[in-house]
Every structure is written in structure tokens, then in C-alpha cells.
Amino acid sequence: MLRYLTAGESHGKTLLALVDGFPAGVTIDTDPIDVELKRRQGGYGRGGRQRIESDTVDIRTGIWKGVTLGSPIALEVVNRDYKLERLDDLPRPRPGHGDLTGAVKYLGSIRGILERASARETAVRVAAGALAKQLLAAFDMTVFGYVVEVGGEKIEPVDGTLDELRTIRDQSELYGLNLDRDPAIKKMIDDAGKDGDTLGGVVEVRVDGVPFGLGTHAQWDRKLDGRLAQAVMAVQAIKGVEIGLGFEAARRPGSQVHDPIHYDESKKSTSTLGYERPTNNAGGLEAGMTNGQPIVIRAAKKPISTLAKPLASINLETKEPEEASYERSDVCAISAASVIVENVVAFEIAGAVIEKFGGDSLQEMRARYELFLEMARKR
Ligand SMILES: Cc1cc2nc3c(=O)[nH]c(=O)nc-3n(C[C@H](O)[C@H](O)[C@H](O)COP(=O)(O)O)c2cc1C
């Protein structure tokens, strides 16, 4: 079973992820992990902190000569902006944060809550996901995330191969797939910032090269759609998750939702095995299992909660009405959210691959993967 826990505060000394259940024999390169960390810090509309930090990962355990040992892997991203001991408490809880609820629940300070609730923690979730991607690469599986909507404005993806789309996304300051849309949307973000306001959006992640049969129909907590939804929903500020058509499926008759099944021997690939689906409205998942089609998952992110033009709040000491506190903050972090969602999805998929094909060593997993494909092709 692949799992991880994280530790660390936003302005604390360091951030840690402890990854358990990662197989032996996977060659790990830290450069692609650092690339993901840098992408998480980028995107149009971020605040000053991203210019202070320049995240890199340090793999502290579980690796020898660049290859995983099958033992727990500790990932560290040191906070270059460490100043927690010098920071004061916030007197006025900010709507949309855990400030009020956490201070009441833990009978303590707002600072004690916000430091852990902050999305800074996602740096090590991204590191764990980027590690998992290196396992997925051994099975020719790719995970690709991008922004499809900002503040209600759509960024309609252009057509192209995965490589072409990746190039477009990496040229876009918004991490979208339609460069023509960027100027208008960047202006929208600028305008929101000038008004002291913030914007959210929608991200999409697709996973290609997925074999049949990851996840299971057999038990609710092992259904892969449910697991993906939990992982994505647990990202800060994500308020909705859709798989495939998602909410749109509820609005259409069945004949326009479910993906017909055809078979074409000549098109047999390791994913489809020849079972052709002219549409992929299911987003690659039926009954909690992967069906050979790409997984498509979307997440809705609410606008940043901390507003430069603050909302009404109260002073927690006096209970008198006052404006909410303001801490240095982003105007729009949807691009970063696309990186985070991409990587938490990658981690869950890697977990499902390990469950299906065994998790001791990559060598054994590959053998079982090949055997399964051989048997499934004869099914
Ligand atoms: C990439 C990313 C960056 C964020 N940056 C900020 C920020 O600068 N200021 C802020 O108030 N909230 C920010 N948030 C959102 C808060 O972390 C989040 O809304 C808050 O912790 C409350 O949790 P909830 O929205 O999941 O209920 C960010 C979220 C993400 C995903």
C-alpha cells in the first residue's frame, strides 16, 4: 500500500513528506521533481512569497545510488522564508480560512491554524507526486494537468498531441492550453488585484497509458474514482471534483452519456486492448475501475480567501466588528493548483498500480504487468 503523510508549517523551518510503500528498484532523478516544485511556485497572479522561495527537494532516506530501496522515503523541502518564531498572531479571523473554526476548536491562536492550513504544505505533496510519476513512467503512463477556466472565463484547449499540448502549457503563464486566451485572462487577474479581490478557476488532469483494471468495484474505499476524489478534494481551496462529464452527465439522457463499446483487433494497445470507445464521457473510470481510456478529472478551486480589500470580520478578543486581517497573499493561484492536482492524482494512480501489480520491486511489478496484459488480451 502506497501512502504518505506530510509535516511542516508555512513559515516553519521545513516541510516533510514520508512516503511509505514505494517499490524497490526505481531510479529516481531529483531534477524532474524540482521542475514540478518550480512550476507550483509559478503561474500568473502569485504573490511576493513565490519570489522569495525557490523550492528544491532533498531525498533524505530510502534511496541508495539513486535507486529506491523499498524502504520509507523522506522528502524534504526547506523553507527559505523561515520566520515563524518572529511572527505575531492574527487578531481578526479571515473568512474562507480555518482561522475562526481552528482557533475555537483547538482553543488557541489563529497563527497556529493558518500555518498548517496554508497551501504552502502542498510543496511536499507535489514532491511526493513527482516521485510517483517516475514509477508511472516505467509503465509509460503520463499525468498532465492544465487550467481550463479562470474566474468564470474558459480557456478552451486547442487540439494537439500530448507533446504539443505540453509545449503550449509550458509557454503559458496561466498553464492553459490556448495561448490566445492568455492576455485577456491576465488582464482579468490584474483588474481583480487592483480591486483588492481574488479569482479561482477550474483545472483538468488527464492520465494517459492507463491499463485496464486499476482500482476495484468490490469495496467502497478501494474504488479508484472515490480515492481520486478524496485526494483532489483534500487540496486546499478545492471545492468540487468531476470525473469525465461530471455534473454535465446529470443533465443529459443516458444515450448521450455512456460510451459505446466496439472492438477492433488492429487497434490493440496496452491500454485499450482493442476495446474502442468512441467517446470518453466516463473519464476512464467505470465502477471504480480504469477501463483502458485516459482518466480525465477536473477540480474547481475557490478564489483566494485573503482579500487586500478585506471582508467583514470581528476582533477575536473584543468581539467588536472589524475588517479581516490581511497577510501577504496571491490574487490567483489556479495555475499552481493545476500542478498540485496533477501530482496528487499521480500519487493515487501510482498507489493503484502498486496494488494491482505488487509493490515490492519494480522488476516484479513489470513482470506481473506483462503477464496481466498477456492474459487480458486473451480474455
Ligand atoms: C496553490 C494555492 C495557493 C494558495 N494561496 C493562498 C494565498 O496566498 N492566500 C490565501 O488566503 N489562500 C491561499 N490559498 C487557499 C487557502 O490555502 C485555503 O483556502 C485555506 O487553507 C482554507 O482551506 P479550504 O479552502 O480548503 O477550506 C491557496 C490555495 C492553493 C491551492
Side-chain angles (χ1 to χ4, degrees):
M1 174 187 163
L2 183 68
R3 59 191 173 155
Y4 73 113
L5 294 173
T6 73
E9 281 72 39
S10 180
H11 299 94
K13 288 181 180 163
T14 201
L15 295 162
L16 299 162
L18 186 66
V19 179
D20 185 46
F22 201 87
V26 184
T27 302
I28 299 296
D29 181 357
T30 54
D31 289 349
I33 303 178
D34 290 344
V35 167
E36 295 295 287
L37 291 175
K38 194 169 161 63
R39 289 183 58 233
R40 193 202 73 92
Q41 294 186 281
Y44 200 78
R46 306 304 301 281
R49 175 138 197 211
Q50 308 314 320
R51 289 187 284 277
I52 296 169
E53 306 273 349
S54 179
D55 291 336
T56 52
V57 72
D58 189 1
I59 304 183
R60 308 281 292 184
T61 68
I63 285 196
W64 183 51
K65 296 187 177 179
V67 180
T68 57
L69 298 170
S71 44
I73 299 174
L75 304 171
E76 178 166 33
V77 176
V78 172
N79 272 334
R80 297 186 210 282
D81 192 21
Y82 165 56
K83 58 180 179 187
L84 183 52
E85 297 310 321
R86 286 181 281 123
L87 289 174
D88 294 327
D89 198 9
L90 259 57
R92 305 172 304 271
R94 298 159 304 165
H97 276 286
D99 296 2
L100 174 64
T101 311
V104 172
K105 173 176 162 68
Y106 290 91
L107 309 175
S109 63
I110 291 175
R111 172 70 57 198
I113 302 305
L114 80 88
E115 284 291 328
R116 181 65 187 154
S118 157
R120 175 79 193 126
E121 176 260 350
T122 59
V124 277
R125 279 200 246 178
V126 166
L131 180 89
K133 274 189 198 161
Q134 298 189 30
L135 173 65
L136 295 179
F139 298 88
D140 295 324
M141 294 171 64
T142 55
V143 190
F144 179 55
Y146 42 90
V147 174
V148 292
E149 213 173 302
V150 180
E153 287 294 314
K154 289 204 168 31
I155 307 179
E156 300 84 2
V158 297
D159 289 333
T161 63
L162 205 52
D163 282 346
E164 288 163 352
L165 295 179
R166 198 180 288 279
T167 305
I168 293 172
R169 183 199 66 184
D170 293 345
Q171 282 170 2
S172 165
E173 281 182 88
L174 295 164
Y175 304 176
L177 299 182
N178 187 338
L179 295 170
D180 290 345
R181 295 289 287 133
D182 284 13
I185 291 183
K186 280 163 63 179
K187 180 168 183 314
M188 220 173 70
I189 295 173
D190 289 342
D191 290 346
K194 278 181 210 143
D195 290 346
D197 218 330
T198 59
L199 295 176
V202 179
V203 303
E204 188 167 283
V205 173
R206 61 178 278 181
V207 191
D208 283 86
V210 189
F212 261 86
L214 303 184
T216 176
H217 66 298
Q219 195 56 266
W220 70 269
D221 62 347
R222 293 194 289 136
K223 287 181 181 236
L224 189 56
D225 47 1
R227 284 191 177 186
L228 285 166
Q230 137 100 85
V232 173
M233 193 64 130
V235 173
Q236 286 82 341
I238 299 299
K239 295 298 144 191
V241 181
E242 292 185 324
I243 290 176
L245 269 190
F247 273 59
E248 175 60 23
R251 301 179 193 116
R252 297 187 188 180
S255 57
Q256 289 171 38
V257 170
H258 306 299
D259 308 310
I261 302 173
H262 304 296
Y263 185 75
D264 184 344
E265 172 90 29
S266 68
K267 289 194 180 153
K268 260 188 187 174
S269 75
T270 48
S271 297
T272 66
L273 303 176
Y275 297 101
E276 294 300 313
R277 315 296 291 265
T279 51
N280 184 21
N281 292 334
L285 285 151
E286 289 170 308
M289 297 174 280
T290 54
N291 65 3
Q293 299 295 308
I295 293 175
V296 181
I297 185 161
R298 269 182 307 284
K301 181 182 177 298
K302 74 183 189 184
I304 298 287
S305 314
T306 308
L307 303 185
K309 200 188 278 177
L311 292 172
S313 183
I314 47 111
N315 185 306
L316 213 46
E317 296 306 317
T318 64
K319 312 288 190 260
E320 291 299 321
E322 282 181 33
E323 284 186 343
S325 296
Y326 179 74
E327 283 232 326
R328 184 183 56 195
S329 202
D330 301 326
V331 174
C332 181
I334 191 66
S335 311
S338 74
V339 182
I340 300 162
V341 174
E342 175 182 309
N343 281 286
V344 300
V345 165
F347 195 89
E348 290 312 306
I349 302 294
V353 171
I354 286 170
E355 274 162 34
K356 178 93 182 98
F357 301 113
D360 288 341
S361 71
L362 177 60
Q363 217 182 354
E364 183 191 353
M365 285 177 76
R366 287 229 37 117
R368 284 177 56 177
Y369 172 74
E370 297 298 342
L371 178 65
F372 171 70
L373 291 184
E374 196 184 310
M375 294 170 87
R377 275 191 203 106
K378 291 186 196 138
R379 167 71 187 80

